[in-house]
Amino acid sequence: MSAKREHLRVGLVSVSDRASGGVYQDQGIPALQEWLGAALATPFQVETRLIPDERSQIEQTLIELVDVTGCDLVLTTGGTGPSRRDVTPEATLAIGTKEVPGFGEQMRQISLQFVPTAILSRQVAVIRETADHAALVLNLPGQPKSIRETLEGLKDEDGRVKVPGIFAAIPYCIDLIGGPYIETVEAVCKAFRPKSAIRPAAR
């Protein structure tokens, strides 16, 4: 994996005892796939995993997606609350080599626009680095509406951004850790980069 790929590879992990056990249908992965399909203007591949709230299995899944599958970005959904079975943040921190706290801070800021219990959310983000690869691993909420709001941000009636979503910062983060160049559909989510990091549009 030493050669840099042009196409983004994304791992989507839904962490849920009941969904993984077949009690109900998982909604997290379909919501993520739908949003990415609308928001990304560059080609991408997806690897999906549906697993229970078991810390060791979450850690193994995240490591496999980054180290073996070669994902540049891994998005988890579920398991970030304060209950005993919510261990996704602990598993994520355990496999990371660097924490990126701003992502969790902004996710809670977005959710606080709707409910005061957003302060109970414990989402984290980390970089996982190996000898020849690095990936951003990020915890998202479990509900489809919250997933979209967190990624996309909040807009006013005229479509202007009121509270920036976290995905606006993800393409530049992937740039900085050596991943593929990601472009977004600006009507959904405009990626932000310093002017020096913006590539000319492909002809």
Side-chain angles (χ1 to χ4, degrees), residues 57-159:
Q57 190 168 348
I58 300 169
E59 290 182 19
Q60 291 168 7
T61 299
L62 297 179
I63 291 170
E64 182 251 330
L65 285 170
V66 177
D67 297 11
V68 180
T69 307
C71 290
D72 309 289
L73 172 66
V74 179
L75 302 174
T76 75
T77 174
T80 60
S83 75
R84 288 179 181 268
R85 294 291 292 171
D86 289 331
V87 293
T88 303
E90 285 74 20
T92 303
L93 291 170
I95 63 91
T97 50
K98 291 181 179 135
E99 189 176 358
V100 193
F103 283 108
E105 294 164 5
Q106 185 63 10
M107 283 189 271
R108 284 180 282 278
Q109 180 61 36
I110 292 168
S111 297
L112 277 168
Q113 306 293 315
F114 301 100
V115 290
T117 50
I119 59 175
L120 301 178
S121 298
R122 302 185 304 113
Q123 291 105 320
V124 300
V126 302
I127 306 295
R128 177 171 174 82
E129 298 165 310
T130 66
D132 57 1
H133 183 63
L136 173 63
V137 182
L138 224 165
N139 304 154
L140 294 173
Q143 297 300 316
K145 179 176 180 290
S146 298
I147 289 171
R148 179 180 57 77
E149 291 164 348
T150 296
L151 292 169
E152 194 170 316
L154 307 178
K155 298 176 182 178
D156 63 20
E157 294 177 355
D158 298 321

